[in-house]
Amino acid sequence: KESTLHLVLRLRGGGKKRKKKTYTKPKKAKHVRKKEKLRVLKFYSVNDDGKVVRLRKYSPAAGTAGCFMASHYDRYYCGKTGHTYFFNKGKAEEA
């Protein structure tokens, strides 16, 4: 013998549907890193006698020998430790 059971349940607390946001300004364009081929060639130069000379300054605070400092127009900056050495007006300051 088959029997069918009907259940009627009421939904409780179904909230209102949210209104879609309208954005006023366009999204900000993200910074795109400049890709430069063989960038490491800017860090070293080779003399006529075959000796390799480093063109960038090493970071004394980073401790590792391979950590170069970025050379800006008025300062050297270490991206790893955040140390900055200014060389404007003929004197070096540490910040």
Side-chain angles (χ1 to χ4, degrees):
K1 185 175 180 181
E2 291 185 31
S3 61
T4 306
L5 184 65
H6 293 286
L7 291 174
V8 178
L9 299 173
R10 289 202 300 158
L11 293 175
R12 293 187 182 262
K16 286 188 176 180
K17 190 174 178 182
R18 298 234 182 248
K19 190 175 179 181
K20 192 170 174 78
K21 275 188 183 179
T22 55
Y23 295 101
T24 57
K25 293 188 286 185
K27 282 189 177 180
K28 192 166 83 170
K30 289 188 177 179
H31 173 75
V32 179
R33 188 175 71 105
K34 287 185 213 165
K35 183 77 173 168
E36 193 174 329
K37 290 189 176 185
L38 299 175
R39 182 182 286 269
V40 79
L41 296 179
K42 291 189 173 189
F43 300 152
Y44 301 98
S45 70
V46 180
N47 289 345
D48 295 333
D49 57 345
K51 198 159 193 163
V52 176
V53 179
R54 293 185 294 269
L55 300 176
R56 303 284 169 96
K57 186 177 174 180
Y58 277 148
S59 174
T64 57
C67 187
F68 288 110
M69 296 186 85
S71 59
H72 295 272
Y73 70 98
D74 63 340
R75 67 196 181 278
Y76 286 117
Y77 178 74
C78 177
K80 188 172 186 178
T81 61
H83 274 69
T84 307
Y85 295 102
F86 292 97
F87 49 79
N88 54 351
K89 301 174 190 164
K91 62 180 179 178
E93 308 165 16
E94 187 180 338

